[in-house]
Amino acid sequence: QVQLVESGGGLVQAGGSLRLSCAASGRTFSSYAMGWFRQAPGKEREFVADIKWSGRSTYHADPVKGRFTISRDNAKNTVYLQMNRLKPEDTAVYYCAAKLVVGSAWDYWGQGTQVTVSS
């Protein structure tokens, strides 16, 4: 079993920046991919970005491309989401997720961290 704990959320004005962290504990695998999702009130969960745990491939959803950057530190079993030029529409609960197999369902989820962007 893997536990994921997000941190770094908060309140920020539009145009500001935040860096989210997701620390993984328990058994880890070189094949684990890590991802970030977000869910705004009344909205479906939305994919934000993902990265191979062992590798350098990343993918960012169009709404955040060029503003958000996913990265990882394998030595610390931690994945980050650097969020720049934040917009009010970025307001959501952000969740960290992990999966063993590319193309499969996400196996593990964190508790989420609130990001609120004010105008």
Side-chain angles (χ1 to χ4, degrees), residues 24 28-30 32 34 51-56 71-80:
T28 60
F29 300 89
S30 62
Y32 263 148
M34 303 290 290
I51 184 170
K52 287 185 176 180
W53 193 244
S54 180
R56 302 185 184 277
S71 62
R72 51 109 180 104
D73 185 337
N74 285 343
K76 297 181 179 180
N77 289 339
T78 300
V79 64
Y80 304 95

Side-chain angles (χ1 to χ4, degrees), residues 8 59 108 115 117:
Y59 182 79
Y108 306 103
V115 172
V117 184

Side-chain angles (χ1 to χ4, degrees), residues 18-48:
L18 286 172
R19 189 181 75 160
L20 306 184
S21 298
C22 174
S25 62
R27 188 175 182 181
T28 60
F29 300 89
S30 62
S31 58
Y32 263 148
M34 303 290 290
W36 287 98
F37 294 76
R38 65 187 183 184
Q39 187 168 24
K43 297 289 187 179
E44 297 281 351
R45 184 179 60 195
E46 177 186 27
F47 170 79
V48 175

